[in-house]
Amino acid sequence: MTEREFNGRVDAAGKVTWDFPQQVAAYRRHLFAKTGDGAITASFYPLRSKRTDRQNRALHAMLTGWARERGWTVDALKAAVLGIAFGHLEQVAPITGELVKVLAEPHSSHLDVTKFCHLIETVLETAAEDDFWIDAPEEYTRAKAVALKKAAKLAA
């Protein structure tokens, strides 16, 4: 069974308010259907400040199709989007002494969750401006689940 993580906030009284309560409720119903008796295990821990490997894979999945369609490399596209999202800095090149522009945030692996979400939004917006449609990761997951259900119904 696939484990899922849901983010939320806990108040001083210990009450949890989920960021996306409908998704949490839907997943709890899914768990009940899978387990039959409703027995589950929950883990609570502070929200990670760094993006997860799963989020990074989603970013690269989003960029790969777009890069392929346009004949670009994924690394070149990623650098371009990082520049759009976070800008550039001017820096003196150590060897030549000339003034060069470098990415303000050159590595997505160093981004915290907030900045990474901004990067994902920038990818979606920039792709749309380039007339290339990209499903956001949660939309992709939802669409894939619907397609699998339809295929299962057709097979039955």
Side-chain angles (χ1 to χ4, degrees):
M1 182 177 315
T2 304
E3 292 181 14
R4 292 286 312 269
E5 289 184 358
F6 297 98
N7 297 325
R9 302 265 184 257
V10 62
D11 65 16
K15 180 180 182 237
V16 176
T17 303
W18 299 108
D19 290 347
F20 299 99
Q22 298 86 357
Q23 289 182 348
V24 175
Y27 192 68
R28 288 192 319 235
R29 288 189 299 272
H30 167 77
L31 286 174
F32 181 79
K34 288 286 187 184
T35 64
D37 64 359
I40 63 169
T41 299
S43 297
F44 292 92
Y45 47 87
L47 181 66
R48 292 183 192 100
S49 62
K50 188 179 172 202
R51 62 100 179 116
T52 65
D53 289 338
R54 182 176 177 192
Q55 289 168 322
N56 193 53
R57 287 191 302 272
L59 171 67
H60 281 267
M62 292 168 63
L63 294 174
T64 299
W66 184 16
R68 223 180 258 147
E69 175 75 21
R70 300 293 190 250
W72 304 325
T73 67
V74 173
D75 288 338
L77 178 57
K78 183 177 173 183
V81 175
L82 282 166
I84 293 167
F86 304 110
H88 296 81
L89 302 173
E90 290 185 343
Q91 188 176 32
V92 177
I95 296 172
T96 63
E98 65 184 308
L99 196 60
V100 295
K101 284 187 176 183
V102 296
L103 291 170
E105 293 285 355
H107 305 288
S108 63
S109 61
H110 298 147
L111 299 177
D112 63 21
V113 172
T114 303
K115 286 184 177 181
F116 199 83
C117 288
H118 175 66
L119 178 60
I120 294 290
E121 285 294 320
T122 302
V123 168
L124 294 169
E125 291 170 8
T126 307
E129 290 169 4
D130 188 42
D131 290 325
F132 188 81
W133 176 256
I134 298 176
D135 285 331
E138 66 274 3
E139 292 169 329
Y140 173 78
T141 303
R142 202 174 316 124
K144 190 173 181 179
V146 168
L148 286 172
K149 279 185 180 180
K150 284 183 181 178
K153 281 183 180 180
L154 290 174

